[in-house]
Coordinates of all heavy atoms in Angstrom, one line a residue:
G52 N -1.0 38.2 34.9 CA 0.1 38.8 35.7 C 1.1 37.8 36.2 O 1.6 37.9 37.3
Y53 N 1.3 36.8 35.4 CA 2.3 35.7 35.8 C 3.7 36.3 35.9 O 4.2 37.0 35.1 CB 2.3 34.6 34.7 CG 3.4 33.6 34.9 CD1 3.3 32.7 35.9 CD2 4.5 33.6 34.1 CE1 4.3 31.7 36.1 CE2 5.5 32.7 34.3 CZ 5.4 31.7 35.3 OH 6.4 30.8 35.5
R54 N 4.3 36.0 37.1 CA 5.8 36.3 37.2 C 6.5 35.0 37.6 O 6.1 34.3 38.5 CB 6.0 37.3 38.4 CG 5.2 38.6 38.3 CD 5.8 39.5 37.2 NE 7.1 40.0 37.6 CZ 7.2 41.3 38.0 NH1 6.2 42.1 38.0 NH2 8.4 41.8 38.3
P55 N 7.6 34.7 36.8 CA 8.3 33.4 37.0 C 8.8 33.3 38.5 O 9.2 34.3 39.0 CB 9.4 33.5 36.0 CG 9.5 34.9 35.6 CD 8.2 35.5 35.8
H56 N 8.8 32.1 39.0 CA 9.3 31.9 40.4 C 10.8 31.7 40.2 O 11.3 30.6 39.8 CB 8.7 30.7 41.0 CG 8.9 30.6 42.5 ND1 10.2 30.3 42.9 CD2 8.1 30.7 43.5 CE1 10.2 30.3 44.3 NE2 8.9 30.5 44.7
R57 N 11.6 32.7 40.5 CA 13.0 32.7 40.3 C 13.7 31.5 41.0 O 14.6 30.9 40.5 CB 13.7 34.0 40.6 CG 13.2 35.2 39.8 CD 13.6 35.0 38.3 NE 13.2 36.2 37.5 CZ 13.2 36.2 36.2 NH1 13.3 35.0 35.6 NH2 12.9 37.2 35.5
A58 N 13.3 31.3 42.2 CA 14.0 30.2 43.0 C 13.8 28.9 42.3 O 14.8 28.1 42.1 CB 13.5 30.2 44.4
A59 N 12.6 28.7 41.8 CA 12.3 27.4 41.1 C 13.1 27.3 39.8 O 13.7 26.3 39.5 CB 10.8 27.3 40.8
Q60 N 13.1 28.5 39.1 CA 13.9 28.5 37.9 C 15.4 28.2 38.2 O 16.1 27.5 37.4 CB 13.8 29.9 37.3 CG 12.7 30.1 36.3 CD 12.8 31.4 35.6 OE1 13.5 32.3 36.0 NE2 12.1 31.5 34.5
A61 N 15.9 28.8 39.3 CA 17.3 28.6 39.6 C 17.6 27.1 39.8 O 18.6 26.6 39.4 CB 17.7 29.4 40.9
M62 N 16.7 26.5 40.5 CA 16.9 25.0 40.8 C 17.0 24.3 39.5 O 17.8 23.4 39.3 CB 15.7 24.5 41.6 CG 15.6 25.0 43.0 SD 17.0 24.6 44.0 CE 16.5 22.8 44.3
R63 N 16.1 24.7 38.5 CA 16.0 23.9 37.3 C 17.2 24.3 36.3 O 17.8 23.4 35.7 CB 14.7 24.3 36.6 CG 14.0 23.2 35.9 CD 12.6 23.5 35.3 NE 12.4 24.8 34.9 CZ 11.7 25.7 35.6 NH1 11.2 25.3 36.8 NH2 11.5 26.9 35.3
K64 N 17.5 25.6 36.3 CA 18.5 26.0 35.3 C 19.9 26.2 35.8 O 20.8 26.4 35.1 CB 18.1 27.4 34.7 CG 16.8 27.3 33.9 CD 16.5 28.7 33.2 CE 15.3 28.7 32.3 NZ 15.1 30.0 31.7
G65 N 20.0 26.2 37.2 CA 21.3 26.5 37.8 C 21.7 27.9 37.6 O 22.9 28.3 37.7
R66 N 20.8 28.8 37.3 CA 21.0 30.2 37.2 C 20.0 31.0 38.1 O 18.8 30.6 38.1 CB 20.8 30.7 35.7 CG 22.0 30.2 34.8 CD 23.3 31.0 35.1 NE 24.4 30.6 34.3 CZ 25.3 29.7 34.7 NH1 25.1 29.1 35.9 NH2 26.3 29.4 33.9
T67 N 20.5 32.0 38.8 CA 19.6 32.7 39.7 C 19.1 34.0 39.2 O 18.2 34.6 39.8 CB 20.4 33.0 41.0 OG1 21.5 33.8 40.6 CG2 21.0 31.7 41.7
R68 N 19.6 34.5 38.1 CA 19.2 35.8 37.5 C 19.5 36.9 38.6 O 18.8 37.9 38.7 CB 17.7 35.9 37.1 CG 17.3 34.9 36.1 CD 17.9 35.2 34.7 NE 17.4 36.4 34.1 CZ 18.0 37.1 33.2 NH1 19.3 36.8 32.8 NH2 17.5 38.2 32.7
T69 N 20.5 36.6 39.4 CA 21.0 37.5 40.4 C 22.5 37.8 40.2 O 23.2 37.0 39.9 CB 20.8 36.9 41.8 OG1 19.5 36.5 42.0 CG2 21.2 37.9 42.9
I70 N 22.8 39.1 40.3 CA 24.2 39.5 40.2 C 24.7 40.2 41.5 O 23.9 40.8 42.2 CB 24.5 40.4 39.0 CG1 23.7 41.8 39.2 CG2 24.1 39.8 37.7 CD1 24.0 42.8 38.1
G71 N 26.0 40.1 41.7 CA 26.6 40.7 42.9 C 27.2 42.0 42.5 O 27.7 42.2 41.4
L72 N 27.1 43.0 43.4 CA 27.7 44.3 43.2 C 28.5 44.6 44.4 O 27.9 44.8 45.5 CB 26.7 45.4 42.9 CG 27.2 46.9 42.8 CD1 28.2 47.0 41.7 CD2 26.1 47.9 42.7
V73 N 29.9 44.7 44.3 CA 30.7 44.9 45.5 C 31.4 46.3 45.4 O 32.1 46.6 44.4 CB 31.8 43.8 45.5 CG1 32.7 44.0 46.8 CG2 31.2 42.4 45.5
L74 N 31.1 47.1 46.3 CA 31.6 48.5 46.3 C 32.3 48.8 47.6 O 31.9 48.2 48.7 CB 30.4 49.5 46.1 CG 29.6 49.4 44.8 CD1 28.4 50.3 44.8 CD2 30.5 49.6 43.6
P75 N 33.3 49.7 47.6 CA 34.2 49.9 48.7 C 33.6 50.6 49.9 O 34.0 50.3 51.1 CB 35.4 50.7 48.2 CG 35.2 50.7 46.7 CD 33.8 50.4 46.4
D76 N 32.7 51.6 49.7 CA 32.3 52.5 50.8 C 31.0 53.2 50.6 O 31.0 54.2 49.9 CB 33.5 53.5 51.1 CG 33.1 54.5 52.1 OD1 32.1 54.3 52.9 OD2 33.9 55.5 52.3
L77 N 29.9 52.7 51.1 CA 28.6 53.3 50.8 C 28.4 54.5 51.6 O 27.3 55.2 51.4 CB 27.5 52.2 51.1 CG 27.5 51.0 50.2 CD1 26.3 50.1 50.5 CD2 27.5 51.4 48.7
T78 N 29.3 54.9 52.4 CA 29.2 56.2 53.1 C 29.7 57.4 52.2 O 29.4 58.5 52.5 CB 29.9 56.3 54.4 OG1 31.3 56.2 54.1 CG2 29.5 55.2 55.4
N79 N 30.4 57.0 51.1 CA 30.8 58.0 50.1 C 29.7 58.1 49.1 O 29.5 57.1 48.4 CB 32.1 57.6 49.5 CG 32.6 58.5 48.4 OD1 31.9 59.3 47.9 ND2 33.9 58.5 48.2
P80 N 29.1 59.3 48.9 CA 27.9 59.4 48.0 C 28.2 58.9 46.6 O 27.3 58.6 45.8 CB 27.6 60.9 48.0 CG 28.1 61.4 49.3 CD 29.3 60.5 49.6
F81 N 29.5 58.9 46.2 CA 29.9 58.4 44.9 C 29.3 57.0 44.6 O 28.8 56.7 43.6 CB 31.4 58.5 44.7 CG 31.9 57.9 43.4 CD1 31.9 58.7 42.3 CD2 32.2 56.5 43.3 CE1 32.4 58.1 41.0 CE2 32.6 56.0 42.1 CZ 32.7 56.8 41.0
F82 N 29.5 56.1 45.6 CA 29.2 54.7 45.4 C 27.7 54.4 45.4 O 27.2 53.7 44.5 CB 29.9 53.9 46.4 CG 31.4 53.9 46.1 CD1 32.3 54.5 47.0 CD2 31.9 53.3 45.0 CE1 33.7 54.6 46.7 CE2 33.3 53.3 44.7 CZ 34.1 54.0 45.6
P83 N 26.8 55.0 46.2 CA 25.4 54.9 46.1 C 24.9 55.4 44.7 O 24.0 54.8 44.1 CB 24.8 55.7 47.2 CG 25.9 55.7 48.3 CD 27.2 55.7 47.5
Q84 N 25.5 56.5 44.2 CA 25.1 57.0 42.9 C 25.5 56.0 41.8 O 24.8 55.7 40.9 CB 25.8 58.3 42.6 CG 25.2 59.5 43.5 CD 26.0 60.8 43.3 OE1 26.3 61.4 44.3 NE2 26.4 61.2 42.2
L85 N 26.6 55.3 42.0 CA 27.1 54.3 41.1 C 26.2 53.0 41.2 O 25.8 52.5 40.2 CB 28.5 53.9 41.3 CG 29.2 53.0 40.4 CD1 29.2 53.6 38.9 CD2 30.7 52.7 40.8
A86 N 25.8 52.7 42.4 CA 25.0 51.5 42.6 C 23.6 51.7 42.0 O 23.0 50.8 41.4 CB 24.8 51.3 44.1
Q87 N 23.1 52.9 42.1 CA 21.8 53.2 41.5 C 21.8 53.0 40.0 O 20.9 52.4 39.4 CB 21.4 54.7 41.8 CG 20.1 55.1 41.2 CD 19.8 56.6 41.5 OE1 20.7 57.5 41.3 NE2 18.7 56.9 42.1
A88 N 22.9 53.4 39.3 CA 23.0 53.2 37.9 C 23.1 51.8 37.5 O 22.4 51.3 36.6 CB 24.3 54.0 37.4
V89 N 23.8 51.0 38.3 CA 23.9 49.5 38.0 C 22.6 48.9 38.3 O 22.1 48.1 37.4 CB 25.0 48.9 39.0 CG1 24.9 47.4 38.9 CG2 26.4 49.4 38.6
E90 N 21.9 49.2 39.4 CA 20.6 48.5 39.7 C 19.5 48.9 38.7 O 18.8 48.0 38.3 CB 20.2 48.9 41.1 CG 19.2 48.0 41.8 CD 17.8 48.2 41.3 OE1 17.4 49.4 40.9 OE2 17.0 47.2 41.2
N91 N 19.5 50.1 38.2 CA 18.5 50.5 37.3 C 18.6 49.7 36.0 O 17.6 49.1 35.5 CB 18.6 52.0 36.9 CG 18.1 52.9 38.0 OD1 17.5 52.4 39.0 ND2 18.4 54.2 37.9
K92 N 19.8 49.5 35.5 CA 20.0 48.8 34.3 C 19.8 47.3 34.5 O 19.1 46.6 33.7 CB 21.5 49.0 33.8 CG 21.8 48.2 32.5 CD 20.9 48.6 31.3 CE 21.2 47.8 30.1 NZ 20.3 48.1 29.0
A93 N 20.2 46.8 35.7 CA 20.1 45.3 36.0 C 18.6 45.0 36.0 O 18.1 44.0 35.4 CB 20.7 45.0 37.3
R94 N 17.8 45.8 36.7 CA 16.4 45.5 36.8 C 15.7 45.6 35.4 O 14.8 44.8 35.1 CB 15.7 46.5 37.7 CG 14.2 46.2 38.1 CD 13.9 46.4 39.5 NE 14.6 47.5 40.1 CZ 14.1 48.8 40.2 NH1 13.0 49.0 39.6 NH2 14.8 49.7 40.8
N95 N 16.1 46.5 34.5 CA 15.6 46.5 33.2 C 15.8 45.1 32.5 O 15.1 44.8 31.6 CB 16.3 47.6 32.3 CG 15.8 49.0 32.8 OD1 14.8 49.1 33.5 ND2 16.6 50.0 32.4
L96 N 16.9 44.4 32.9 CA 17.2 43.1 32.3 C 16.6 42.0 33.1 O 16.9 40.8 32.8 CB 18.7 43.0 32.1 CG 19.4 44.0 31.2 CD1 20.9 43.8 31.2 CD2 18.9 43.9 29.8
G97 N 15.8 42.3 34.1 CA 15.2 41.2 34.9 C 16.2 40.6 35.9 O 16.0 39.5 36.4
L98 N 17.3 41.4 36.2 CA 18.3 40.9 37.1 C 18.1 41.5 38.5 O 17.9 42.7 38.6 CB 19.7 41.2 36.6 CG 20.1 40.5 35.2 CD1 21.4 41.1 34.7 CD2 20.2 39.0 35.4
L99 N 18.3 40.7 39.5 CA 18.3 41.2 40.9 C 19.7 41.5 41.3 O 20.6 40.7 41.0 CB 17.7 40.1 41.8 CG 17.6 40.4 43.3 CD1 16.6 41.5 43.6 CD2 17.2 39.2 44.1
V100 N 19.9 42.6 42.0 CA 21.3 43.0 42.5 C 21.5 42.7 44.0 O 20.6 43.2 44.8 CB 21.6 44.4 42.2 CG1 22.9 44.9 42.7 CG2 21.5 44.7 40.6

Side-chain angles (χ1 to χ4, degrees):
Y53 171 75
R54 302 288 289 251
H56 192 293
R57 293 299 186 195
Q60 271 190 343
M62 294 294 286
R63 218 173 31 255
K64 294 184 173 182
R66 288 288 179 265
T67 60
R68 300 292 293 156
T69 302
I70 62 173
L72 173 61
V73 183
L74 298 175
D76 176 10
L77 295 182
T78 64
N79 178 337
F81 175 85
F82 292 110
Q84 289 171 226
L85 187 59
Q87 182 182 48
V89 169
E90 200 279 330
N91 286 351
K92 178 61 180 177
R94 188 137 36 91
N95 289 343
L96 297 176
L98 296 170
L99 180 68
V100 176

